[in-house]
Amino acid sequence: MDLINAIILLLNYIFIPGLTYGSQLALGAIFVTLIYGILRFANFATGDMMSFGTMMTILFTWYFQSLGISLGVLPTALIALPFGIFFLILYMLTIDKFVFKYYRTQKSPPVQFAMVSIGVMFVTQAVVRIIIGPGDRRFFDGEKFIFKAREFKEMTGLNEGLALKSTQVLTIFVTIILVSLLFWFLNKTKTGKSMKAYSDNEDLALLSGIDPKKIVLVTWVIAGILATIGGALYGLDKSFKPFTYFNNMLPIFAAAIVGGIGNPFGAFLGGYVIAFSEILLTYAYKKFFMYILPESMEPEGLVQLLSTDYKFAVSFSILVIVLLYRPSGIFKGKVL
């Protein structure tokens, strides 16, 4: 019985949160790797673009809730997501037209693009804070439980309870479906193949008749979908605070680089590598060992490798190690 309690403990505090957080990071990492692979620059505004899309989703969620519109056990934000996606894509295309297009036309080096994206990051962050404020915002119906820990204890008679939120299940399934559709699009459709050809050799792609304007447009549309859904799922699972999305840039970039920058599948797996690394290294295992060890060997301390305050230090350390020993990431070579 103690072994089962120990397993439930790990499921509740490591496995389910790791899958959920990893899915959110994976969508952000694919966003980064798409922009890098096709438009050829590191977009440091990724976190704040996710924040912008989430903000619009929240505003429309509040509007629908004020009208009494609800999806029952599912978050009302699902109805608001298409509106959030639309406005983020519109915002991204506006930024691209008035900012990135100029540097793309001038064939500016990637470093200059990256610096420009930092400027876009600060502008986007300011816009979000002006519109919705810097404080913590909640979706109000994003914390619906499929079953609560107390209910699980009553059903099973175990000491440990397992809580499962609808948003956690939603995050995992939506990520799998969205990523599957993206891989199908890139590998099976004419437009997806054109994007890969444009990424491999821009000059040869242009000679083949591929329209660069269309490739840029489709890239930003896909990026807008990924950013809004990833940001909204993160906000539903936790809460929305603009500065949090800025902080998430480190684990998102770490996930993209660990998986191999320019490789969407590697970025997808990299999200889970970073998420589970952060959780496994900052979780306090005292209660777990109390279940599996004899009473005489029970630990007195928290048995925690790192404090949760050092969560982002884990991402940074992994990023540094990968850059030093395997710069190409888990998967070598670009697939875009």
Side-chain angles (χ1 to χ4, degrees), residues 26-259:
L27 294 179
I30 296 173
F31 175 107
V32 168
T33 212
L34 273 178
I35 299 299
Y36 182 86
I38 297 172
L39 302 184
R40 297 178 180 83
F41 73 95
N43 186 8
F44 289 101
T46 298
D48 292 290
M49 286 181 170
M50 292 175 75
S51 178
F52 185 94
T54 308
M55 174 194 69
M56 297 307 302
T57 303
I58 289 175
L59 294 177
F60 278 97
T61 298
W62 288 347
Y63 173 69
F64 289 130
Q65 288 171 342
S66 70
L67 298 177
I69 298 174
S70 174
L71 287 178
V73 70
L74 294 174
T76 310
L78 289 180
I79 308 173
L81 260 179
F83 297 92
I85 291 170
F86 172 78
F87 279 99
L88 178 59
I89 291 173
L90 185 64
Y91 178 74
M92 285 177 161
L93 292 177
T94 303
I95 292 294
D96 183 71
K97 181 178 180 180
F98 291 103
V99 181
F100 293 126
K101 184 180 178 180
Y102 170 79
Y103 294 95
R104 192 163 55 246
T105 305
Q106 297 296 318
K107 301 289 184 181
S108 299
V111 172
Q112 193 169 0
F113 261 110
M115 294 301 102
V116 171
S117 75
I118 292 176
V120 171
M121 175 189 75
F122 287 121
V123 170
T124 306
Q125 194 176 113
V127 169
V128 172
R129 293 188 181 196
I130 289 169
I131 294 175
I132 202 170
D136 202 1
R137 297 287 186 271
R138 293 191 175 274
F139 289 72
F140 296 122
D141 66 348
E143 297 179 350
K144 294 176 180 177
F145 286 88
I146 296 176
F147 52 83
K148 297 182 179 180
R150 184 177 61 186
E151 295 170 350
F152 185 86
K153 288 179 183 179
E154 292 173 355
M155 284 190 301
T156 60
L158 295 170
N159 294 330
E160 286 298 323
L162 182 64
L164 188 64
K165 291 192 291 186
S166 60
T167 51
Q168 291 175 320
V169 177
L170 189 67
T171 295
I172 296 166
F173 276 101
V174 167
T175 300
I176 292 171
I177 292 170
L178 188 61
V179 171
S180 299
L181 287 173
L182 175 63
F183 290 158
W184 172 82
F185 175 80
L186 290 174
N187 293 303
K188 300 297 182 182
T189 66
K190 184 179 178 181
T191 303
K193 292 176 181 178
S194 297
M195 291 170 69
K196 294 174 73 172
Y198 183 83
S199 174
D200 288 337
N201 191 318
E202 182 179 348
D203 295 330
L204 186 59
L206 295 177
L207 289 173
S208 302
I210 293 174
D211 184 2
K213 293 181 180 178
K214 181 181 177 182
I215 298 301
V216 172
L217 174 64
V218 173
T219 301
W220 283 118
V221 168
I222 294 174
I225 294 169
L226 291 170
T228 305
I229 294 177
L233 290 174
Y234 183 88
L236 282 168
D237 184 46
K238 297 170 179 66
S239 66
F240 173 82
K241 195 172 184 180
F243 197 72
T244 302
Y245 287 77
F246 171 76
N247 286 338
N248 282 343
M249 275 304 301
L250 179 57
I252 286 172
F253 264 84
I257 292 171
V258 165

